């Protein structure tokens, strides 16, 4: 055990136990995390402006401001000393240090998309109702990962690609810990990470590269298969929704037709889990055929049916590409049945106004120079959906991807990991995360995994939240309870809220592959009406062309 974790384990408990936010399926309180004593600053906030960060970022690294102010956290005002600065050459960071409420914990908040801005958020995702967050118990850090949105050429800069791949988060975390030591006169007892999408990739990257950075990580909907995700996945979705299969074609499917499709999918597959609630507990049990919605030949009014071209497009969405010679799957997974309402704005236009663009175009165009080492990387129309094309994605796979299933170093350091994904994710297929879970089982063994990781899949929940499901959950408390209290998470209490923030439904979410089963008699909107159910689907993820990406590998650059 390293020194930091030894000190954490030996920390004196002061005060009562903290009541956890989430409950189990029956509505009982979750196991409580130890309340660490509140530590006040040992020096002035302004003194942090002189903290030397060159040992972390190199020459040119500096704090640019250190100011006190009040920030609203879930409606409650929290006083922070906010420190901003740069870690050379261009990693911008922000660290918020609580003035009156620090509980000896630090938390890094991951950045989504291609980042390029410093998150101003003080409410990390999946911390719904968490008292440690609401009360300002964490030092919070965030980063732009080495570039700004206005820097159009960042992806052509080798150093900035490295900073985006992993260095920005790691260096910012080290800086946050050094500032914590300087401000409070002591080190943090525990360090955590919470992120979703690219933030999920960042969390897994940390577990794979820097096993001692965090005691616990929540990684949601991880974009860890970065090179494939932002080339062949978004490329396939974008080109499938063009009538000629190229960016020059007319967009085929629009939101109104996607909504009609969704209604038909739910009508056909919702009952398969034993409850008609509009949600597919495991979409893999669904085998809906979009051709059942095809308009009759010669139909004059096609508003209530799918044209033959629309059926072809939808089928491509669900089925994904195959190598034309070997017939091998090119992608591990695509959008799942039940996700159709969330497609708008990604590979379906945001509204029904006629256009020749879709959101997926932007992901392919924006990541070209990050993924490929070609002097002129392939454009959307130049992508090839073949096994051979994977050779071009492997060059920077060890740099950008976070798919190494061997997390032994993180486990041995005492780290805990919670993975989660929404079944109705419109950006990243939950099948990706399931395939990674299977790779971990193969590499580390289920018994080993059970000691340090859990995975949850949320029915009807979109990318990092939203959707028709119950997207509000507190995985932060579950992680803290596990790291500090030794109690592994089980049922996670999830809720749906209305526009006013009122809870309209609650339900437990069980570790994969178990599911929540309605008891058939209680209030279907109450968590107490659900029990633990066995897996609905047990067939392993099918073979695909990039399966070797989920094999152990040496991270690069070394």
């Amino acid at each position: 055990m390293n020194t930091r974790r030894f000190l954490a384990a030996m920390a004196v408990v002061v005060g009562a136990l903290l009541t956890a936010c989430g409950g189990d399926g029956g509505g009982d309180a979750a196991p409580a995390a130890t309340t660490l004593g509140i530590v006040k600053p040992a020096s002035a906030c302004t003194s942090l402006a002189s903290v030397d960060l060159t040992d972390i970022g190199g020459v040119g690294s500096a704090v640019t401001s250190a100011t006190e102010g009040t920030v609203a956290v879930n409606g409650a005002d929290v006083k922070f000393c906010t420190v901003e600065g740069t870690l050379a050459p261009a990693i911008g960071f922000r660290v918020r240090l609580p003035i009156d409420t620090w509980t000896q914990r630090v938390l890094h908040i991951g950045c989504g998309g291609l980042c390029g801005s410093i998150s101003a958020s003080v409410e990390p995702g999946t911390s719904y109702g968490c008292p440690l967050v609401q009360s300002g118990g964490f030092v919070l850090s965030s980063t732009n990962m080495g570039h700004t949105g206005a820097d159009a050429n960042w992806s052509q800069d080798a150093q900035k690609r490295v900073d985006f791949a992993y260095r920005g988060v790691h260096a910012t975390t080290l800086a946050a810990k050094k500032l914590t030591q300087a401000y409070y006169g002591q080190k943090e007892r525990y360090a955590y990470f919470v992120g979703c999408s690219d933030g999920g990739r960042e969390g897994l990257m940390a577990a794979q590269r820097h096993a001692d950075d965090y005691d616990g990580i929540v990684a949601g909907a991880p974009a860890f298969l970065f090179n494939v995700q932002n080339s062949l996945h978004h490329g396939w979705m974008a080109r499938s929704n063009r009538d000629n299969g190229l960016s020059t074609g007319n967009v085929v499917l629009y939101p109104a037709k996607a909504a009609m499709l969704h209604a038909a999918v739910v009508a056909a597959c919702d009952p398969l889990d034993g409850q008609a609630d509009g949600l597919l507990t495991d979409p893999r049990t669904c085998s809906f055929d979009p051709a059942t919605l095809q308009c009759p030949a010669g139909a004059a009014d096609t508003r209530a049916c799918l044209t033959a071209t629309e059926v072809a497009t939808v089928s491509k969405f669900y089925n994904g590409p195959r190598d034309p010679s070997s017939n091998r799957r090119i992608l591990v997974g695509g959008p799942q049945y039940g996700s159709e309402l969330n497609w708008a704005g990604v590979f379906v236009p945001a509204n029904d106004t006629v256009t020749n663009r879709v959101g997926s175009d932007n992901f392919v165009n924006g990541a070209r120079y990050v993924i490929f080492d070609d002097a002129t990387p392939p454009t959307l129309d130049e992508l090839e959906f073949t096994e051979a094309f994977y050779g071009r994605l492997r060059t920077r796979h060890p740099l950008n991807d976070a798919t190494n299933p061997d997390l032994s170093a993180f486990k041995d350091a005492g780290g805990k990991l919670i993975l989660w994904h929404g079944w109705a994710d419109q950006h990243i297929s939950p099948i990706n995360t399931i395939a990674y879970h299977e790779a971990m089982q193969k590499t580390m063994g289920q018994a080993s995994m059970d000691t340090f990781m859990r995975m949850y899949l949320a029915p009807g929940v979109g990318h990092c939240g939203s959707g028709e499901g119950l997207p509000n959950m507190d995985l932060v408390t579950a992680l803290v309870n596990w790291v500090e209290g030794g109690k592994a998470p089980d049922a996670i209490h999830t809720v749906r809220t209305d526009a006013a923030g009122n809870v309209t439904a609650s339900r437990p979410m069980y570790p994969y592959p178990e599911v929540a089963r309605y008891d058939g008699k209680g209030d279907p909107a109450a968590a107490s009406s659900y029990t633990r159910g066995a897996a609905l689907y047990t067939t392993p993820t099918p073979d695909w062309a990039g399966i070797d990406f989920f094999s152990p590998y040496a991270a690069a650059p070394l």
Side-chain angles (χ1 to χ4, degrees):
M1 179 179 292
N2 63 30
T3 301
R4 176 165 58 83
R5 289 197 171 91
F6 175 78
L7 290 173
M10 297 303 293
V12 176
V13 177
V14 290
L17 294 179
L18 172 69
T19 302
C21 311
D24 66 13
D28 297 329
T34 299
T35 298
L36 299 177
I38 290 176
V39 174
K40 297 296 184 69
S43 59
C45 178
T46 54
S47 70
L48 299 184
S50 62
V51 173
D52 184 4
L53 299 177
T54 56
D55 59 323
I56 296 173
V59 176
S61 302
V63 172
T64 56
S65 66
T67 58
E68 293 187 0
T70 300
V71 179
V73 182
N74 281 6
D77 290 338
V78 177
K79 295 179 181 178
F80 289 101
C81 169
T82 299
V83 180
E84 298 186 355
T86 301
L87 298 166
I91 300 171
F93 70 84
R94 175 180 294 125
V95 179
R96 297 190 189 272
L97 303 103
I99 296 173
D100 300 318
T101 55
W102 186 52
T103 64
Q104 307 177 60
R105 301 170 173 98
V106 299
L107 173 67
H108 186 85
I109 303 174
C111 192
L114 295 178
C115 203
S117 63
I118 303 175
S119 171
S121 173
V122 289
E123 299 169 20
T126 60
S127 64
Y128 176 81
C130 176
L132 276 175
V133 172
Q134 291 175 322
S135 63
F138 292 100
V139 166
L140 302 171
S141 62
S142 54
T143 176
N144 67 2
M145 298 174 67
H147 64 277
T148 64
D151 182 2
N153 297 317
W154 77 268
S155 61
Q156 299 180 51
D157 184 304
Q159 180 61 57
K160 290 183 179 181
R161 289 196 298 268
V162 169
D163 291 346
F164 171 76
Y166 66 90
R167 181 174 173 264
V169 171
H170 175 59
T172 296
T173 297
L174 297 182
K177 292 179 179 181
K178 186 169 186 177
L179 291 166
T180 295
Q181 172 75 63
Y183 190 47
Y184 301 106
Q186 71 167 64
K187 294 181 179 180
E188 77 288 345
R189 299 296 189 186
Y190 298 99
Y192 297 96
F193 178 98
V194 177
C196 193
S197 194
D198 196 74
R201 180 191 70 90
E202 296 155 30
L204 287 171
M205 186 72 82
Q208 293 163 25
R209 285 180 177 267
H210 305 290
D212 279 336
D213 274 4
Y214 307 109
D215 298 286
I217 293 171
V218 174
F224 56 175
L225 195 63
F226 184 91
N227 285 5
V228 177
Q229 174 71 24
N230 292 298
S231 61
L232 296 181
H233 169 74
H234 276 297
W236 175 258
M237 304 306 290
R239 285 172 52 177
S240 294
N241 203 9
R242 266 47 180 256
D243 58 4
N244 68 353
L246 298 171
S247 62
T248 56
N250 298 313
V251 170
V252 174
L253 192 75
Y254 287 83
K257 290 294 185 77
M260 184 193 73
L261 172 66
H262 177 73
V265 167
V266 171
C269 297
D270 185 18
L272 297 176
D273 56 15
Q275 180 186 11
D277 59 353
L279 305 177
L280 276 60
T281 299
D282 190 330
R284 293 174 297 179
T285 63
C286 182
S287 56
F288 180 80
D289 182 1
T292 59
L293 298 178
Q294 187 163 325
C295 303
D301 186 352
T302 61
R303 289 175 297 178
C305 55
L306 296 180
T307 66
T309 304
E310 289 168 340
V311 168
T313 287
V314 170
S315 296
K316 289 178 181 178
F317 287 169
Y318 289 136
N319 297 330
R322 288 182 178 268
D323 184 285
S325 298
S326 68
N327 200 39
R328 194 180 189 190
R329 292 174 181 267
I330 296 302
L331 302 175
V332 60
Q336 297 298 289
Y337 291 114
S339 66
E340 300 80 13
L341 291 183
N342 299 328
W343 296 353
V346 188
F347 43 90
V348 168
N351 54 53
D352 290 307
T353 302
V354 175
T355 180
N356 61 359
R357 299 283 299 171
V358 293
S360 287
D361 299 350
N362 300 326
F363 291 97
V364 175
N365 294 332
R368 291 168 61 215
Y369 285 92
V370 180
I371 296 170
F372 299 98
D373 65 349
D374 309 56
T376 303
T379 64
L380 173 64
D381 291 341
E382 293 170 337
L383 296 176
E384 299 173 11
F385 303 98
T386 65
E387 291 191 64
F389 192 81
Y390 265 86
R392 303 175 71 177
L393 299 177
R394 289 187 174 92
T395 304
R396 290 183 179 166
H397 157 63
L399 172 64
N400 295 325
D401 293 336
T403 54
N404 192 334
D406 186 359
L407 299 185
S408 297
F410 181 69
K411 168 184 171 289
D412 292 345
K416 307 299 182 188
L417 170 66
I418 296 178
L419 285 175
W420 79 276
H421 211 130
W423 268 119
D425 195 313
Q426 66 273 38
H427 281 277
I428 301 171
S429 177
I431 304 301
N432 291 17
T433 303
I434 292 172
Y436 181 64
H437 186 269
E438 292 173 351
M440 289 183 67
Q441 288 175 315
K442 179 180 179 182
T443 302
M444 301 185 70
Q446 187 63 56
S448 177
M449 289 170 60
D450 288 344
T451 66
F452 81 101
M453 74 87 61
R454 293 290 184 275
M455 183 171 78
Y456 296 89
L457 296 180
V461 174
H463 187 61
C464 297
S466 70
E468 297 177 291
L470 287 75
N472 301 305
M473 63 190 79
D474 180 18
L475 296 178
V476 172
T477 293
L479 184 66
V480 170
N481 288 343
W482 196 4
V483 168
E484 301 177 25
K487 180 66 175 180
D490 188 32
I492 299 295
H493 192 74
T494 67
V495 302
R496 182 191 298 129
T497 58
D498 61 19
N502 300 309
V503 174
T504 59
S506 62
R507 187 175 301 187
M509 180 173 63
Y510 292 95
Y512 181 83
E514 296 171 326
V515 299
R517 284 272 195 184
Y518 176 53
D519 65 12
K521 53 189 177 183
D523 180 359
S528 57
S529 301
Y530 293 83
T531 58
R532 184 189 310 272
L536 298 179
Y537 188 93
T538 57
T539 304
T541 303
D543 176 52
W544 60 293
I547 194 170
D548 61 296
F549 279 44
F550 286 155
S551 299
Y553 59 90
L558 299 177

